[in-house]
Amino acid sequence: EWDGTNWILLKPLSNPSSATDIAAIYDEAQQTTILFAGNSNAGFPTPGSTSETWFWDGTNWTKAINIQAPLVRMTGGMAYDVSRQQAVLVGFSCLTCTPQETLTYVWDGSNWSMIIGANTPTLGSSVPMANDIQRSRVIMLVPPQASTWVWPQP
């Protein structure tokens, strides 16, 4: 935890599974941090791919249970859409697939939903995403061509 000057090591009772591919955002509506872990440390692709969702309440991590887990295994990026009060997650379903299928999911505070037919760019790697409050959109910069995408699309 960052106190404004130093990092402080916390010792919660539980922690997310060991993962190599994660994304996290703060959900303002739920007042909690959401962490998505798409891939286990065992390598990719593996039967052990995690696809887990965790919540941080400031003291402890809690794993989400009985939810529709995203098929995303390699996380491209995630951002919080303030105007729609949902997290937007973009990533790959399979790293070895050709072409790679890029999926978009939204978290509504209780479950993930895949957005069918979302005009999602082909991602080459992780992508920076951020909420643009002034325009009520999530913005994503996709390397290597540095193309700019917005969610939802106008």
Side-chain angles (χ1 to χ4, degrees), residues 140-153:
M140 174 171 57
L141 182 65
V142 179
Q145 65 275 30
S147 59
T148 302
W149 293 71
V150 294
W151 175 268
Q153 293 157 0

Side-chain angles (χ1 to χ4, degrees), residues 12-125:
L13 296 175
S14 62
N15 285 301
S17 302
S18 180
T20 58
D21 201 34
I22 60 173
I25 55 95
Y26 182 73
D27 183 331
E28 293 182 24
Q30 302 296 316
Q31 297 184 349
T32 189
T33 296
I34 300 172
L35 179 139
F36 176 77
N39 190 25
S40 70
N41 273 332
F44 184 84
T46 69
S49 292
T50 59
S51 194
E52 294 177 346
T53 302
W54 290 78
F55 308 103
W56 174 254
D57 63 9
T59 305
N60 203 23
W61 288 101
T62 304
K63 183 179 176 182
I65 56 172
N66 299 324
I67 64 165
Q68 179 65 41
L71 298 174
V72 172
R73 296 296 182 252
M74 294 290 291
T75 305
M78 186 164 65
Y80 186 71
D81 184 344
V82 173
S83 62
R84 288 161 197 80
Q85 297 186 344
Q86 57 187 201
V88 180
L89 172 69
V90 177
F92 311 118
S93 60
C94 174
L95 184 62
T96 59
C97 299
T98 304
Q100 290 179 338
E101 181 180 22
T102 305
L103 303 174
T104 301
Y105 282 82
V106 294
W107 173 261
D108 65 6
S110 61
N111 214 342
W112 290 104
S113 299
M114 186 185 334
I115 305 301
I116 305 297
N119 183 19
T120 306
T122 299
L123 307 178
S125 61

